[in-house]
Amino acid sequence: MDLHIIRQDTIGCTDKLFLNSAGGSLMPEIVVKTMIDHIYLEQQYGAYGAADRNEEKIRQFYEEAAQLINAKPENMAFTVSSTDAYAKALSSIQFENGDVIITTNDDYVSNQIAFFSLQKKSGVKVIRVKNLPDHELDLEDLENLVKKHHPKLVAVTHIPTNSGLIQNVEGAGEICRRYDVLYLVDACQSVGQLVVDVNKIGCDFLTATGRKFMRGPRGTGFLYVSDRVLEKDMAPVFLDMNGAEWTEFNDYKLLKTAKRFEHWETSISSILGFTEAAKYANGIGLQNIERYNRKLAEKLRTGLQSNGLRILDEGRNLGSIVTFCAPDGSIDGIYKTLKENNVYFSVSNKSNALIDFTLKNLDRAIRLSPHYFNTSEEIEEVVRMLER
């Protein structure tokens, strides 16, 4: 991993301290160039003509996305976001009154709202797994809940948006396989920053986005769909001609691959940009990215803690999202200092992490998310500016 070349490829990292990859990261130059080039093709040849000229590159999306998570191309679908992917996965499951969804306390806000919508419209029950004292997922409680409620679905967010906690999705997957339960993993914050392997996780669905640690364009994402879901002819409620063939006046035939979860009309330039982002990450190697990112995040947490700041990330396994506040729970002074020093960051609000922040007695937290184009010197600079 040549950091000098990576930073040369990342134009936006040279004039600021960019620590917001968990929100929307910086695209490599090749991603931007690829998208612009295709827009020019559309200007010259029209949308269909331009797509025809990039047909082979469009196919590469499925290969590169599959490589990211150790899957097969036929199990991958392009989506316009992780939330889009999540909704399509949920809509392929026939929920009935009394069905149970088991989830966790550390879930993404949009996922929880989707569950509540199913609760109101279909009578689905939502049950959450306990956390251990060290904030890890209580797998014994999960297994007991599965045995007791026979859930239609278990859904776990790999890394929540408001914390560096990496949840044990592999342990949860073992339980789901043992009891033959559908398993959905939100990998929105993990794909691109660490190694994600769907074979080890054992999930039926996995969702991801392009704009975060993948360093792709906004308006992109993907959905992984397992073989057993495809073999059961599960599909989203609203299909179109991209996912099925109109075979009779009143019938259709599903596409055999995960493309049945796609829609025909989409942004080709965005697909091509995401493909280049995936190719860029695969070229560096997710093992290398994860190893480097862990060092940056650990250095940042250690430095902030030595300044007397309150680190909010809990768990044995932490990733590249670092959340913190002042000892009294305030963030105003930190916010002002970071803004004045041209640091790009995010603020996590209680409304996005209602359970976690209620238990931590917090309304807001500062979120820094270093990535592999950041340097150790940048981390030291942030720590120094927050010494007081």
Side-chain angles (χ1 to χ4, degrees):
M1 195 177 97
D2 192 324
L3 186 57
H4 177 70
I5 292 177
I6 291 169
R7 287 180 66 83
Q8 277 188 331
D9 292 340
T10 310
I11 296 172
C13 75
T14 57
D15 61 343
K16 64 181 77 70
L17 282 174
F18 191 90
L19 295 170
N20 194 23
S21 287
S25 193
L26 300 176
M27 292 185 286
E29 189 172 9
I30 185 62
V31 174
V32 179
K33 182 180 184 303
T34 298
M35 295 178 71
I36 292 173
D37 286 348
H38 184 79
I39 294 296
Y40 281 135
L41 281 180
E42 289 189 350
Q43 181 186 44
Q44 188 171 2
Y45 301 108
Y48 283 14
D52 289 344
R53 282 167 169 76
N54 272 323
E55 188 176 355
E56 178 57 35
K57 290 183 179 179
I58 294 169
R59 278 199 294 267
Q60 288 177 11
F61 162 77
Y62 303 94
E63 298 166 5
E64 294 293 340
Q67 186 179 336
L68 284 171
I69 59 172
N70 193 25
K72 296 176 295 185
E74 55 264 35
N75 295 100
M76 308 301 298
F78 176 81
T79 61
V80 298
S81 69
S82 182
T83 301
D84 175 43
Y86 209 87
K88 287 176 176 176
L90 286 177
S91 80
S92 73
I93 304 169
Q94 292 187 359
F95 289 104
E96 299 175 357
N97 185 46
D99 281 343
V100 171
I101 296 174
I102 295 178
T103 183
T104 72
N105 291 321
D106 297 284
D107 197 14
Y108 183 52
V109 55
S110 293
N111 302 345
Q112 290 285 299
I113 290 173
F115 300 154
F116 302 151
S117 177
L118 286 169
Q119 191 175 52
K120 292 181 178 182
K121 293 178 180 178
S122 304
V124 170
K125 296 179 181 178
V126 180
I127 298 173
R128 297 185 182 91
V129 183
K130 295 177 183 176
N131 291 93
L132 296 170
D134 63 1
H135 213 70
E136 291 288 325
L137 202 60
D138 189 335
L139 294 180
E140 184 178 348
D141 182 52
L142 172 58
E143 184 166 10
N144 289 335
L145 290 174
V146 168
K147 288 192 290 186
K148 179 180 178 180
H149 296 285
H150 307 287
K152 181 66 71 76
L153 175 72
V154 170
V156 179
T157 293
H158 200 179
I159 301 177
T161 187
N162 58 285
S163 166
L165 170 68
I166 302 176
Q167 300 205 91
N168 188 354
V169 291
E170 293 182 9
E174 289 177 9
I175 294 170
C176 290
R177 289 195 299 275
R178 193 180 310 148
Y179 294 94
D180 194 26
V181 179
L182 285 171
Y183 184 32
L184 167 59
V185 173
D186 179 342
C188 187
Q189 294 287 12
S190 57
V191 171
Q193 73 149 295
L194 48 82
V195 175
V196 176
D197 188 331
V198 291
N199 292 300
K200 291 181 179 178
I201 295 172
C203 53
D204 293 289
F205 301 101
L206 183 138
T207 64
T209 187
R211 67 178 162 87
K212 297 180 184 288
F213 289 97
M214 272 308 307
R215 303 184 62 200
R218 193 168 192 174
T220 61
F222 68 72
L223 172 65
Y224 159 82
V225 184
S226 70
D227 286 337
R228 79 163 180 163
V229 167
L230 295 175
E231 289 163 5
K232 288 180 178 179
D233 282 347
M234 293 173 63
V237 172
F238 296 108
L239 293 155
D240 75 359
M241 61 183 181
N242 209 53
E245 178 188 357
W246 193 7
T247 55
E248 305 286 343
F249 282 8
N250 296 303
D251 202 4
Y252 61 84
K253 181 180 179 182
L254 280 174
L255 202 68
K256 291 184 178 181
T257 70
K259 285 186 181 181
R260 71 177 66 156
F261 286 82
E262 295 182 350
H263 284 152
W264 164 257
E265 187 53 46
T266 192
S267 166
I268 300 300
S269 66
S270 296
I271 294 176
L272 297 175
F274 189 101
T275 302
E276 289 299 331
K279 190 183 298 184
Y280 197 89
N282 286 329
I284 295 171
L286 273 301
Q287 297 91 342
N288 296 324
I289 292 172
E290 177 178 348
R291 192 181 307 116
Y292 184 75
N293 280 0
R294 284 187 183 274
K295 290 178 181 178
L296 288 182
E298 184 179 347
K299 186 182 184 73
L300 179 57
R301 286 193 184 93
T302 301
L304 295 174
Q305 199 162 27
S306 68
N307 286 343
L309 296 169
R310 179 185 169 191
I311 303 298
L312 302 170
D313 308 314
E314 298 175 341
R316 294 191 301 270
N317 195 13
L318 301 177
S320 292
I321 295 179
V322 180
T323 57
F324 63 101
C325 61
D328 64 357
S330 67
I331 67 166
D332 293 344
I334 303 168
Y335 184 98
K336 184 173 183 291
T337 299
L338 294 175
K339 280 288 187 182
E340 289 174 347
N341 286 277
N342 203 25
V343 179
Y344 280 60
F345 64 99
S346 289
V347 174
S348 288
N349 295 299
K350 188 175 182 177
S351 59
N352 292 330
L354 193 59
I355 297 174
D356 186 45
F357 276 24
T358 297
L359 294 174
K360 291 173 179 175
N361 194 27
L362 286 171
D363 290 320
R364 297 184 301 166
I366 298 293
R367 184 183 72 177
L368 300 179
S369 44
H371 206 10
Y372 64 90
F373 54 76
N374 290 119
T375 67
S376 182
E377 291 75 20
E378 287 179 318
I379 301 301
E380 292 168 2
E381 186 176 347
V382 170
V383 170
R384 279 196 302 271
M385 73 177 62
L386 294 174
E387 279 178 348
R388 290 187 292 275

